[in-house]
Amino acid sequence: MTERLSPTRTPAFEARLKKRYAAERRFRLAGLSAILLSVAVLVFLLGSMLINGIGGFQRTVLTTPVDFTTVGLSMPPGQMDRNTAIRALESQGLPDLVRFSAENAFGEDVAKQVSNDAWRVVAERVVADPSLLSRKAEFALPVGKNLAAGFAGEGSPEMQVLAKKLAAEGSLTKAFDIGFLTRSDATDPQQVGIWAALKGSMLTMLVTLVVAFPIGVLAALYLEEYAPRNRWTDLIEVSINNLAAVPSIIFGLLGLAVFLTMFPNMRSAPLIGGLTLALMTMPVIVISGRNAITAVPPSIRDGAMALGASPIQVVFHHVLPLALPGIMTGTIIGMARALGETAPLLMIGMRAFVATPPHGFTDPATVLPVQIFLWSDEIDRGFVERTSAAIIVLLLFLLLMNGLAIYLRNRFEKRW
């Protein structure tokens, strides 16, 4: 007589199974919703930056005819650099000629709204093409912030009326401003540029890389290949891991207390900023370096030792070259984080108004994130578009660095 089998899926079991499947579907839906929300926030951020920032690469200009035949301007004979030629034209009265041409074309009220540095636009074109001095030509002269605000529909009603009149005549327009990438900071949003901040960022990043990379890689090699396993080594490893999570402003306070005490005359210099950011980046390089060194198979070390290589030859001829792609990837990501940091650099004084690009590592400088922070605090509405444009440049710089890290990882990565 065979025993009758009871059903394996009772109603209670079916109910529990259905409940578990429902929970699984809810979890997947929650994960998908989180991803969609993140993508939506990213698209909103990039979209708002692009919409506001596109205008930051333009500036309002007044198309003005300048007749050089009525005056006796001339380019000095012989070879000279661009700055010397511009100074020579200035000494011959080019600023007065530009002001007179604006008054003659549009009247005194409009001429007052032309930027005081508008003659430099004319001078640069004349230096590039000296034949302009023998004829009449039109130049797109930058206007002041009041007329630019009126053209944007802001500012005083008088300026808005004047801007509409000039725009209807076709004289007042917006033009792409390549000078935004080549000029330095200024008080007029029509005249600002990011070159000084961009150059300061490059010099600061160079100091950070030169200091943090060799020290971080050597520390990772020692901890993985030579350090004895005891409580002191464990304490050092835990400390490095904790340092990677310390808020960046703490490193700013450390740089303020140490480096500015040692070099009090180098406040806001790229050297001090780079040393401060190196302290912040070094733990990231050590951690990524240790992970890359650990990923090298032990058989590589055993094979090299079997062929007679010394321990230091094994490390520098075999382990380090194979781990280098991972180390470089972590280093570039750490450098990209340092490039976007603002707080530690504010603590060491890199928030000053710097109108001249730094010529060396000890010259006063600012960096791109700090420049964006300063412009975002300006009351003038003209700085809103400039701030967004500077953010776009910073994002492109960060994307470039992260793209380089991905390329290096894919290009040189070894798979076992």
Side-chain angles (χ1 to χ4, degrees):
M1 181 178 180
T2 58
E3 185 180 355
R4 184 179 181 182
L5 297 176
S6 61
T8 55
R9 291 196 171 187
T10 62
F13 178 82
E14 290 286 353
R16 290 196 299 272
L17 188 61
K18 186 177 180 180
K19 188 177 180 180
R20 287 200 295 271
Y21 284 162
E24 177 73 15
R25 286 193 296 273
R26 287 197 298 273
F27 178 76
R28 288 184 180 181
L29 184 62
L32 181 61
S33 302
I35 292 175
L36 292 177
L37 180 62
S38 302
V39 172
V41 171
L42 181 61
V43 169
F44 174 77
L45 173 65
L46 295 178
S48 61
M49 285 298 106
L50 287 174
I51 292 172
N52 291 326
I54 292 299
F57 292 100
Q58 300 176 324
R59 67 174 173 178
T60 309
V61 295
L62 183 68
T63 304
T64 307
V66 178
D67 189 1
F68 293 98
T69 60
T70 59
V71 293
L73 293 182
S74 63
M75 289 288 291
Q79 298 291 331
M80 64 175 56
D81 59 24
R82 169 179 163 274
N83 292 331
T84 305
I86 290 177
R87 284 197 296 271
L89 290 171
E90 181 184 11
S91 63
Q92 295 180 57
L94 181 60
D96 295 333
L97 174 62
V98 172
R99 194 178 309 110
F100 171 77
S101 300
E103 288 180 3
N104 190 37
F106 304 103
E108 186 178 355
D109 292 339
V110 176
K112 289 180 180 177
Q113 302 303 323
V114 175
S115 173
N116 293 330
D117 291 330
W119 66 271
R120 293 184 180 276
V121 175
V122 180
E124 289 177 356
R125 279 192 56 188
V126 169
V127 171
D129 183 10
S131 66
L132 291 172
L133 294 178
S134 61
R135 56 190 169 92
K136 184 177 181 180
E138 288 188 341
F139 296 88
L141 304 180
V143 300
K145 58 183 179 181
N146 294 329
L147 187 56
F151 187 66
E154 301 170 352
S156 65
E158 294 81 6
M159 283 296 151
Q160 294 185 30
V161 171
L162 180 60
K164 286 182 180 178
K165 175 177 175 292
L166 294 172
E169 295 173 353
S171 301
L172 192 64
T173 57
K174 280 214 167 192
F176 180 72
D177 182 21
I178 188 63
F180 179 69
L181 301 175
T182 59
R183 292 191 301 267
S184 300
D185 198 7
T187 56
D188 189 340
Q190 286 278 95
Q191 299 297 328
V192 297
I194 61 170
W195 174 235
L198 196 57
K199 190 175 181 182
S201 292
M202 292 178 182
L203 293 176
T204 303
M205 289 297 103
L206 185 59
V207 174
T208 302
L209 179 64
V210 169
V211 174
F213 184 73
I215 297 177
V217 172
L218 290 177
L221 281 174
Y222 177 79
L223 289 174
E224 279 301 317
E225 300 291 335
Y226 298 104
R229 299 300 174 192
N230 53 35
R231 65 176 60 184
W232 292 108
T233 305
D234 294 340
L235 181 62
I236 291 173
E237 292 178 357
V238 171
S239 300
I240 291 175
N241 292 336
N242 288 332
L243 280 175
V246 168
S248 58
I249 195 169
I250 303 299
F251 292 100
L253 291 172
L254 184 61
L256 177 65
V258 177
F259 299 128
L260 283 183
T261 302
M262 297 170 61
F263 309 103
N265 296 326
M266 295 186 186
R267 192 177 183 87
S268 77
L271 177 63
I272 303 299
L275 291 174
T276 303
L277 293 180
L279 294 175
M280 190 188 71
T281 309
M282 211 177 301
V284 179
I285 298 177
V286 173
I287 294 172
S288 64
R290 292 188 64 191
N291 292 333
I293 293 169
T294 305
V296 177
S299 58
I300 300 293
R301 299 176 177 82
D302 296 339
M305 293 292 286
L307 292 175
S310 65
I312 195 168
Q313 286 177 323
V314 172
V315 169
F316 285 97
H317 293 181
H318 300 277
V319 176
L320 184 58
L322 292 173
L324 204 53
I327 297 174
M328 292 174 66
T329 302
T331 301
I332 294 174
I333 292 175
M335 294 289 293
R337 179 197 170 197
L339 176 64
E341 283 294 342
T342 304
L345 301 179
L346 291 177
M347 296 303 299
I348 62 170
M350 295 189 76
R351 59 163 300 165
F353 178 85
V354 179
T356 304
H359 299 292
F361 295 103
T362 57
D363 290 342
T366 185
V367 291
L368 206 48
V370 176
Q371 187 72 82
I372 292 170
F373 171 75
L374 294 177
W375 285 355
S376 67
D377 204 29
E378 291 285 347
I379 300 175
D380 196 323
R381 293 284 300 168
F383 279 99
V384 174
E385 291 183 338
R386 297 295 194 178
T387 303
S388 298
I391 291 174
I392 290 175
V393 175
L394 179 60
L395 288 177
L396 289 177
F397 208 164
L398 291 173
L399 288 175
L400 183 65
M401 293 186 70
N402 284 285
L404 180 62
I406 295 172
Y407 170 76
L408 291 175
R409 183 185 61 198
N410 295 335
R411 177 70 177 80
F412 298 105
E413 187 178 25
K414 301 289 185 183
R415 297 182 183 276
W416 291 277

